[in-house]
Amino acid sequence: MINTLSTLEAIEKMNQLGRERTPFLFIIDFLAQRPVVLPLSQIDPKVILFDFNGVHNGTTHPTPHLSPFTFSKSPLSLEDYTPKFELVVEHLKRGDSFLTNLSIPTPIHTELDLKTIFYHSKAKYRLWWQQQFVCFSPEIFVQIRGNRIASFPMKGTIDAQLPNAEERILSDKKEAAEHATIVDLIRNDLSMIAQKVWVERYRYLDTLNTNQKSLLQVSSEIAGLMPSNWRDFIGNWLFRLLPAGSISGAPKPSTLDIIRRAEGYERGYYTGITGVFDGENFDSGVLIRFIEQSGEQLIFKSGGGITARSQVHIEYQEMIDKIYLPISNATIHRNSSTLQREVV
């Protein structure tokens, strides 16, 4: 049984553990209503497993070989997605938001359970919470080494197999505008807690390998210098950055209201953040690429950033393309009902 905390309790506990230099894990939901903060020494691996850039509490699977499995998805129809998209675009054109992240829950079907997916997936941030969810996120939220803080927002995804994929994603005006908005938002967020904030790298590409295809993902690196006593107030400065700008939008207050009305469901821990303080350094990731257990059904939550230039069929397809398992060298039998389309 994992006890969740109030925001104030979580802030105070993180500050205390930081001052004591006690290593701890945290899991914070999208609206920061049910945070979890646990000293690493108190984590039961039968309930929570994590692996964040090689810092983990047990990642050796008892049966390393993965048998052939099926994977299919049953996404919302384009017809039902369109009104949600149009509501977001209406607010964007009115100036209520410059960028809004719209997400959708999608039922998926596979013989694999959440724990098996955790053990066999490949990602920078992997987290399994018994009977709750599994996450295999490629996105860093913030990292601190010494006094240097860095954030790595991801905005822009395309099928790597498409002709001239790299050129297409980097020259796309909508994608460029979306990415610039997020970089500006993250730079402003870091400026609230750090000094001398700068953009270290702008719009570089990473390759993500999935059970379906390879994707190109566009990221940037924004850095700054933290006060020397940042470890004593981890809760205070971390909660000032929430929710993560890359999965909410800008400006945050009005955009959160648009998200609530357009999506019509509770994100829960999806698009929250998770990470570890190891007693000296800090590492955290955004809870995207997320599968939730809902009774006997598995729900994959995915989405993307919408701007006034967005086209509904492209955003719809990006939402579908992000529904995958980052498992390579495995035999996957795909159900014929699985949607397979190219990003155009």
Side-chain angles (χ1 to χ4, degrees):
M1 179 70 178
I2 301 295
N3 293 323
T4 60
L5 306 172
S6 68
T7 297
L8 182 59
E9 289 170 334
I11 290 172
E12 291 177 346
K13 188 167 185 179
M14 295 174 87
N15 288 347
Q16 176 189 347
L17 294 172
R19 283 192 294 268
E20 296 170 352
R21 304 299 190 262
T22 301
F24 66 85
L25 167 82
F26 61 90
I27 308 169
I28 304 175
D29 55 305
F30 177 58
L31 296 178
Q33 296 175 336
R34 292 174 290 162
V36 170
V37 181
L38 295 170
L40 297 191
S41 61
Q42 297 180 15
I43 297 175
D44 183 353
K46 294 179 182 178
V47 180
I48 288 179
L49 288 168
F50 69 90
D51 187 333
F52 302 152
N53 287 306
V55 177
H56 60 84
N57 68 332
T59 57
T60 303
H61 195 285
T63 53
H65 177 72
L66 187 62
S67 300
F69 62 91
T70 61
F71 179 82
S72 64
K73 45 196 171 184
S74 304
L76 190 73
S77 68
L78 177 60
E79 180 181 9
D80 290 331
Y81 175 85
T82 299
K84 298 176 182 292
F85 172 87
E86 290 178 342
L87 188 154
V88 170
V89 171
E90 177 185 348
H91 282 280
L92 289 164
K93 290 181 176 178
R94 282 169 43 181
D96 300 329
S97 176
F98 303 111
L99 171 68
T100 299
N101 190 279
L102 177 64
S103 73
I104 302 292
T106 297
I108 62 169
H109 310 276
T110 181
E111 300 88 348
L112 304 182
D113 59 31
L114 298 184
K115 195 172 187 180
T116 300
I117 293 172
F118 169 86
Y119 277 125
H120 289 282
S121 60
K122 294 178 173 61
K124 291 177 181 176
Y125 299 91
R126 293 187 293 141
L127 177 66
W128 168 79
W129 185 345
Q130 184 184 41
Q131 297 180 330
Q132 298 286 326
F133 64 80
V134 67
C135 180
F136 36 89
S137 175
E139 182 169 357
I140 302 166
F141 181 48
V142 294
Q143 294 177 330
I144 306 179
R145 299 290 182 268
N147 289 345
R148 183 184 187 273
I149 187 170
S151 184
F152 301 80
M154 301 174 69
K155 276 297 166 192
T157 306
I158 192 171
D159 182 347
Q161 278 69 52
L162 291 178
N164 303 313
E166 180 174 338
E167 179 183 348
R168 289 171 67 170
I169 190 68
L170 292 177
S171 63
D172 187 294
K173 292 183 179 179
K174 176 265 176 184
E175 296 289 354
E178 179 182 346
H179 199 96
T181 299
I182 284 300
V183 168
D184 191 50
L185 173 62
I186 300 302
R187 184 169 52 190
N188 289 338
D189 281 355
L190 290 189
S191 295
M192 295 188 300
I193 65 168
Q195 302 167 345
K196 194 183 174 183
V197 175
W198 68 92
V199 178
E200 181 76 18
R201 291 183 290 169
Y202 188 67
R203 298 194 80 206
Y204 63 89
L205 290 170
D206 286 324
T207 301
L208 305 178
N209 296 312
T210 82
N211 65 305
Q212 299 169 162
K213 61 180 73 174
S214 293
L215 302 175
L216 293 181
Q217 182 78 61
V218 186
S219 301
S220 286
E221 178 182 358
I222 303 101
L225 298 177
M226 292 290 283
S228 60
N229 65 343
W230 66 264
R231 297 171 185 84
D232 299 338
F233 303 98
I234 292 175
N236 290 86
W237 59 258
L238 181 62
F239 275 82
R240 289 192 70 187
L241 299 177
L242 300 180
S246 64
I247 43 67
S248 53
K252 287 184 183 179
S254 58
T255 300
L256 289 175
D257 184 60
I258 297 168
I259 287 171
R260 177 185 58 81
R261 290 187 287 117
E263 292 184 346
Y265 83 105
E266 294 295 327
R267 288 191 180 186
Y269 287 94
Y270 168 62
T271 64
I273 64 167
T274 188
V276 162
F277 172 65
D278 66 7
E280 183 65 24
N281 298 310
F282 184 92
D283 190 10
S284 62
V286 182
L287 289 167
I288 59 173
R289 312 303 193 264
F290 185 99
I291 304 175
E292 189 170 278
Q293 184 85 47
S294 179
E296 297 300 314
Q297 181 66 64
L298 296 180
I299 304 294
F300 199 119
K301 297 178 178 180
S302 65
I306 310 297
T307 72
R309 296 188 179 192
S310 294
Q311 299 177 49
V312 64
H313 66 284
I314 294 178
E315 300 301 335
Y316 176 72
Q317 187 59 50
E318 179 177 334
M319 179 270 294
I320 292 173
D321 282 341
K322 289 177 178 175
I323 304 170
Y324 66 82
L325 299 179
I327 299 173
S328 58
N329 301 320
T331 302
I332 303 102
H333 303 295
R334 295 184 181 87
N335 188 295
S336 60
S337 65
T338 301
L339 289 181
Q340 300 288 337
R341 299 192 183 99
E342 289 186 335
V343 179
V344 295

